[in-house]
């Protein structure tokens, strides 16, 4: 069983930066791809970014390319999402997700992820 705990959310102004962290329990972290998703009020959960098991391959949705960076530290069982140039439309609850052990390729499909964190709120004011 893998448990994921996000942190780092908050209230910021447009143009500011935040770094989200997701700490994972368990010894299988380094063999699993990780992802970040978000859900705004009244909207469906949407893909933000994914990173493969080693951290060598990343993929982003178009609306965050050039602004957000996903990374991971397998020694610390932690994945990060650095968010720069934040916009009001980035306001959402951000969720960390992990694929099951051995599934090392990243994915933009929420159904590929077996474990989810509780989410952290990011609010960007204009």
């Amino acid at each position: 069983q893998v448990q994921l705990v996000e942190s780092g959310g908050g209230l910021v102004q447009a143009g500011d930066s935040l770094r989200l962290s997701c700490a994972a329990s368990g010894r299988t972290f380094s063999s699993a791809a990780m992802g970040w998703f978000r859900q705004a009020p009244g909207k469906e959960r949407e893909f933000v970014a994914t990173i493969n098991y080693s951290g060598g391959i990343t993929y982003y949705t178009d609306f965050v390319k050039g602004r957000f960076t996903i990374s991971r530290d397998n020694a610390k069982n932690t994945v990060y999402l650095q968010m720069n140039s934040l916009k009001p439309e980035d306001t959402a609850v951000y969720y960390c997700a992990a694929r099951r052990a051995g599934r090392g390729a990243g994915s933009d499909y929420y159904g590929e992820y077996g474990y989810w964190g509780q989410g952290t709120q990011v609010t960007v004011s204009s």
Side-chain angles (χ1 to χ4, degrees):
Q1 188 72 10
V2 174
Q3 291 186 325
L4 304 174
V5 179
E6 301 100 332
S7 61
L11 172 62
V12 297
Q13 293 186 332
D16 285 351
S17 298
L18 276 176
R19 188 176 81 156
L20 305 183
S21 298
C22 172
S25 66
R27 295 175 292 178
T28 61
F29 177 81
S30 61
S31 72
M34 302 291 294
W36 286 96
F37 291 75
R38 69 186 187 187
Q39 188 167 20
K43 295 187 177 182
E44 294 185 350
R45 189 170 300 191
E46 61 182 2
F47 166 76
V48 176
T50 186
I51 188 166
N52 77 328
Y53 74 100
S54 68
I57 301 174
T58 59
Y59 177 70
Y60 303 88
T61 191
D62 285 346
F63 50 76
V64 305
K65 283 181 181 177
R67 299 191 298 125
F68 291 9
T69 302
I70 188 171
S71 62
R72 65 190 296 162
D73 185 338
N74 286 346
K76 295 182 178 179
N77 277 17
T78 302
V79 64
Y80 305 97
L81 186 67
Q82 177 67 43
M83 305 186 295
N84 298 330
S85 302
L86 282 162
K87 304 175 181 181
E89 49 265 44
D90 294 319
T91 295
V93 177
Y94 283 72
Y95 296 91
C96 169
R99 296 196 70 184
R100 297 190 186 278
R103 299 190 182 276
S107 174
D108 61 0
Y109 177 51
Y110 71 90
E112 294 286 354
Y113 293 85
Y115 307 99
W116 293 83
Q118 81 290 349
T120 185
Q121 177 70 47
V122 172
T123 303
V124 185
S125 63
S126 58

